[in-house]
Amino acid sequence: MNSRRLEGLDTLRGMAALSVAVFHTVVLRELIPFDSIPDWFKALYIAVPLFFAISAFSLSTRYNGSLNRASDCWHFYLRRFFRIAPLFYLMVAAWILTYSYLWQQWKTPPIEDIVLNLTFVFNFLPEKVGSIVPAGWSLGTEMVFYAFFPVLLFVIRNVWTGVVALIFFSAVAVFAGIIFTPLPNTFAWFSAVCQAPFFVAGIVLFHMFRQMEGWSQQARKCTALGLLISSPALLVLLSELGGHSIVFDGWHPWPHLTGAALLPLVLAFALHPFRLVVNRVTVFFGEISYGIYLIHPVAIVLVGRPIQTSMEGQPQWLILLSVVAGVLTTAIILASATYYGFERRISRWRPRARRATIETASEPAAA
């Protein structure tokens, strides 16, 4: 395994978290009429599957070849739980308070909703898949992936077995998407079954990365640049081919196709840290990306809404910039506080029985 920190993945993770935050701020606060929003901007929420691919890639870098015993898997599950659960539980409590504030009276979710969220099994129920925490659906999905990760890592030993697995899970995702489309809460998108190809793709990209590690720096840089260019090129091609209009028995595969077009970015940023975008600031955003992702919906309600209300009558462009800046600033500050307050300390915990001896890629932000 490689002992280098893959700072490019940190940057990409941070960019994905900020993209989702900006998208939600603009759409939920209705800063621009939805019909007037450009298609490329509407695609920003597709950045979430990037989290799954980056997470799988990073975990493969850390654990490849080291989850061969039951005790290893148990320690892996413990580390994943303590990486995800503390901040998520804090946000469950924060949203109970936020809902009470919005309703101007104490409002507690049904006890079954609280239990489903504390146990991370809400992803299996269409009517509950959204989670108590807005944007928290991905945490339920991520936990399902963590549960099966040791098996996936054992089965996917190289690029070719990975390609076979990716084809299989893609076929299952298409079938599930068609079956789940009539179900509520966009279950055909939120379900772990439908998101599985992105996580599997992360493992495949890791094995491709391993094969390329022996290449010269120039070859790696050129390949990374080609992959970087290919992603927007694929997005344009999908749009030109009318990807929005593709429908299979009522299921729209456009979000999945868009997510697939973004996957080359994972390998590109792993192969070469583009100094134009990979720096201390962007790497830091990646480190606190989990907090940015979970906290930004609260910032939209508690900060974005008051800013928007107080600026009524001002030019729309000024309101948009002010609200987005206020939400992002608040989310970044609070995410920094939670990161240094307890996230980093907990994520560095290791079971005494088997301490990791090599640090590799950064801890994945969950979602």
Side-chain angles (χ1 to χ4, degrees):
M1 289 187 290
N2 198 308
S3 61
R4 289 183 299 106
R5 183 185 185 90
L6 298 177
E7 293 184 337
L9 292 186
D10 277 327
T11 292
L12 186 60
R13 185 184 297 113
M15 292 167 60
L18 292 172
S19 296
V20 173
V22 171
F23 172 82
H24 284 156
T25 302
V26 171
V27 172
L28 296 179
R29 295 311 316 155
E30 299 180 345
L31 299 174
I32 301 176
F34 192 78
D35 291 339
S36 301
I37 297 176
D39 288 339
W40 67 266
F41 188 87
K42 292 178 182 178
L44 288 182
Y45 80 93
I46 310 295
V48 175
L50 271 179
F51 288 131
F52 300 142
I54 295 170
S55 177
F57 191 113
S58 299
L59 290 174
S60 298
T61 307
R62 177 182 293 274
Y63 290 105
N64 185 52
S66 64
L67 294 179
N68 300 320
R69 300 183 303 179
S71 59
D72 298 329
C73 295
W74 173 244
H75 294 149
F76 166 77
Y77 290 138
L78 281 178
R79 283 180 60 84
R80 290 297 89 207
F81 177 81
F82 284 109
R83 176 68 184 97
I84 301 302
L87 182 59
F88 181 74
Y89 289 169
L90 177 64
M91 295 312 299
V92 168
W95 272 101
I96 291 175
L97 296 175
T98 301
Y99 291 136
S100 300
Y101 162 75
L102 292 175
W103 285 84
Q104 296 297 308
Q105 62 179 345
W106 183 251
K107 186 175 179 63
T108 305
I111 187 65
E112 61 266 26
D113 288 5
I114 296 176
V115 172
L116 287 171
N117 278 260
L118 295 183
T119 55
F120 292 98
V121 296
F122 52 89
N123 184 264
F124 297 104
L125 303 175
E127 65 275 13
K128 305 293 184 181
V129 72
S131 170
I132 291 175
V133 180
W137 68 270
S138 61
L139 276 299
T141 304
E142 190 86 8
M143 281 300 200
V144 174
F145 294 155
Y146 289 162
F148 290 98
F149 177 70
V151 176
L152 290 173
L153 200 61
F154 177 79
V155 172
I156 302 175
R157 301 295 188 92
N158 51 50
V159 173
W160 299 114
T161 55
V163 169
V164 172
L166 185 56
I167 293 172
F168 171 77
F169 280 100
S170 296
V172 171
V174 171
F175 180 75
I178 295 171
I179 298 298
F180 293 161
T181 291
L183 299 178
N185 295 326
T186 322
F187 193 63
W189 173 250
F190 289 160
S191 169
V193 177
C194 297
Q195 293 291 329
F198 297 112
F199 195 82
V200 172
I203 303 176
V204 178
L205 292 170
F206 159 73
H207 285 292
M208 294 175 67
F209 173 76
R210 288 186 68 195
Q211 291 189 356
M212 297 176 183
E213 277 194 298
W215 293 7
S216 68
Q217 184 177 358
Q218 186 63 27
R220 287 159 57 93
K221 182 177 180 180
C222 290
T223 302
L225 185 59
L227 290 167
L228 190 66
I229 296 172
S230 71
S231 193
L234 287 171
L235 289 173
V236 171
L237 180 62
L238 282 172
S239 180
E240 291 297 320
L241 293 177
H244 286 95
S245 59
I246 299 175
V247 182
F248 293 119
D249 289 342
W251 175 65
H252 294 262
W254 171 251
H256 286 81
L257 294 174
T258 304
L262 295 176
L263 289 176
L265 296 177
V266 179
L267 186 55
F269 276 83
L271 282 172
H272 182 74
F274 301 95
R275 290 307 167 193
L276 249 138
V277 291
V278 180
N279 52 59
R280 287 186 177 183
V281 175
T282 58
V283 169
F284 176 69
F285 287 156
E287 291 174 345
I288 65 171
S289 58
Y290 180 37
I292 292 174
Y293 180 80
L294 276 189
I295 292 170
H296 81 267
V298 170
I300 291 173
V301 172
L302 301 183
V303 177
R305 189 172 72 160
I307 292 176
Q308 184 178 11
T309 301
S310 67
M311 295 186 68
E312 187 175 352
Q314 297 295 321
Q316 191 60 33
W317 65 268
L318 183 59
I319 296 176
L320 186 150
L321 291 178
S322 300
V323 173
V324 170
V327 169
L328 291 184
T329 300
T330 302
I332 289 170
I333 291 173
L334 293 178
S336 301
T338 59
Y339 177 72
Y340 286 110
F342 62 88
E343 279 186 76
R344 189 168 66 163
R345 298 177 184 180
I346 294 175
S347 68
R348 288 180 173 178
W349 171 80
R350 286 161 181 65
R352 289 187 177 183
R354 184 177 176 81
R355 289 179 178 270
T357 58
I358 299 177
E359 290 294 333
T360 55
S362 58
E363 288 285 342

